């Protein structure tokens, strides 16, 4: 992705996941804001974004390796990653048998004791396959640990799962009974 689009993507993620108020915006219950409002807010933020166009926001979606944002009916939202105080409503869904979580050795130790927690985000984030989990873990460590989550079993016992995008699943806290360590 072009360099200026990377910066734009990071700001979009910050606004749509963590702090819409910093840009005078409010997410609706499902995390949407109007594309026009987001564009107007970004244009004011930096002088070199003064002529930003809707096409630039759409280029972020098209050129990114990860599916982070969704556009529909003139609105945009982040698929996952939220930390805003009001929990965004996600669509509950039945997960595949197994999902994966990529993390650090230190966190894996803690997770073995107390299970997977959302930490600073609203939901626990899980990967649909091991390769994706590896990429997630490598953001934080050169010694990635991939945990296997028995998602279907956890769901059958009351843990809720939600659709993020095709590669990312979201969940409520997952007790360690459903997690395979090594
Ligand atoms: C760990 C990125 C201690 C957890 C990625 C992780 C993903 C615990 C960290 C998405 C714990 C939270 C989310 C416990 C979990 N004790 N540590 N009980 N339970 N942890 O960033 O899953 O590029 O909030 O293992 O690719 O790393 O931003 O979650 O290390 O898809 O689009 O606490 O964000 O996508 O870290 O990443 P995060 P994550 P983007």
């Amino acid at each position: 992705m072009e360099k200026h689009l990377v910066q734009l993507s990071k700001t979009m993620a910050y606004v749509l996941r963590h702090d819409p108020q910093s840009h005078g915006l409010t997410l609706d219950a499902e995390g949407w804001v109007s594309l026009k409002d987001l564009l107007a807010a970004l244009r004011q933020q930096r002088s070199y974004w003064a002529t930003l166009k809707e096409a630039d926001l759409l280029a972020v979606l098209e050129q990114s390796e990860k599916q982070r944002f969704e556009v529909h009916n003139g609105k945009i939202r982040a698929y996952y990653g939220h930390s805003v105080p009001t929990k965004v409503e996600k669509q509950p869904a039945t997960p595949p048998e197994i999902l994966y979580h990529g993390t650090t050795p230190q966190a894996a130790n803690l997770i073995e004791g107390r299970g997977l927690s959302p930490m600073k985000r609203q939901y626990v984030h899980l990967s649909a396959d091991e390769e994706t989990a590896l990429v997630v873990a490598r953001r934080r460590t050169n010694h990635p640990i991939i945990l296997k989550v028995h998602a279907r079993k956890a769901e059958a016992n009351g843990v809720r799962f939600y659709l993020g995008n095709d590669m990312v699943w979201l969940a409520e806290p997952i007790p360690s009974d459903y997690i395979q360590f090594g």
Side-chain angles (χ1 to χ4, degrees):
M1 184 155 70
E2 289 171 45
K3 206 172 158 196
H4 77 280
L5 289 183
V6 173
Q7 185 52 51
L8 182 56
S9 175
K10 286 186 176 172
T11 302
M12 287 162 64
Y14 174 75
V15 173
L16 296 173
R17 292 173 176 177
H18 308 302
D19 196 2
Q21 275 183 358
S22 65
H23 287 64
L25 301 169
T26 310
L27 307 187
D28 78 6
E30 295 176 330
W32 296 105
V33 301
S34 120
L35 257 177
K36 278 206 176 71
D37 291 350
L38 176 62
L39 191 59
L42 293 172
R43 280 178 168 179
Q44 282 186 4
Q45 185 182 339
R46 289 169 201 260
S47 51
Y48 62 87
W49 282 348
T51 57
L52 207 64
K53 300 196 171 38
E54 201 170 292
D56 297 309
L57 304 187
L58 300 181
V60 168
L61 275 69
E62 280 155 21
Q63 293 184 34
S64 177
E65 284 167 23
K66 287 186 179 178
Q67 238 187 321
R68 294 190 173 93
F69 311 104
E70 179 181 13
V71 166
H72 185 66
N73 280 346
K75 293 181 292 181
I76 184 166
R77 68 175 171 183
Y79 274 115
Y80 58 88
H82 298 88
S83 72
V84 287
T86 308
K87 216 164 166 180
V88 294
E89 289 169 20
K90 302 301 294 183
Q91 195 190 334
T94 296
E97 199 68 46
I98 303 287
L99 288 168
Y100 301 89
H101 181 82
T103 191
T104 64
Q106 296 88 330
N109 273 336
L110 293 167
I111 293 164
E112 193 157 9
R114 34 177 148 116
L116 268 168
S117 132
M119 306 302 280
K120 292 181 180 159
R121 303 192 199 258
Q122 296 181 351
Y123 298 96
V124 169
H125 286 58
L126 301 164
S127 305
D129 60 41
E130 282 189 83
E131 295 91 288
T132 307
L134 206 53
V135 174
V136 174
R138 288 219 168 102
R139 286 153 58 236
R140 302 192 188 285
T141 178
N142 292 324
H143 304 283
I145 303 285
I146 307 301
L147 307 178
K148 224 173 169 178
V149 176
H150 292 268
R152 194 67 73 79
K153 203 167 154 196
E155 198 224 12
N157 288 292
V159 178
R160 285 218 184 87
F161 287 78
Y162 309 88
L163 285 175
N165 63 25
D166 289 347
M167 302 313 297
V168 180
W169 278 80
L170 305 174
E172 301 301 342
I174 303 175
S176 54
D177 321 12
Y178 305 111
I179 304 170
Q180 206 170 308
F181 298 84

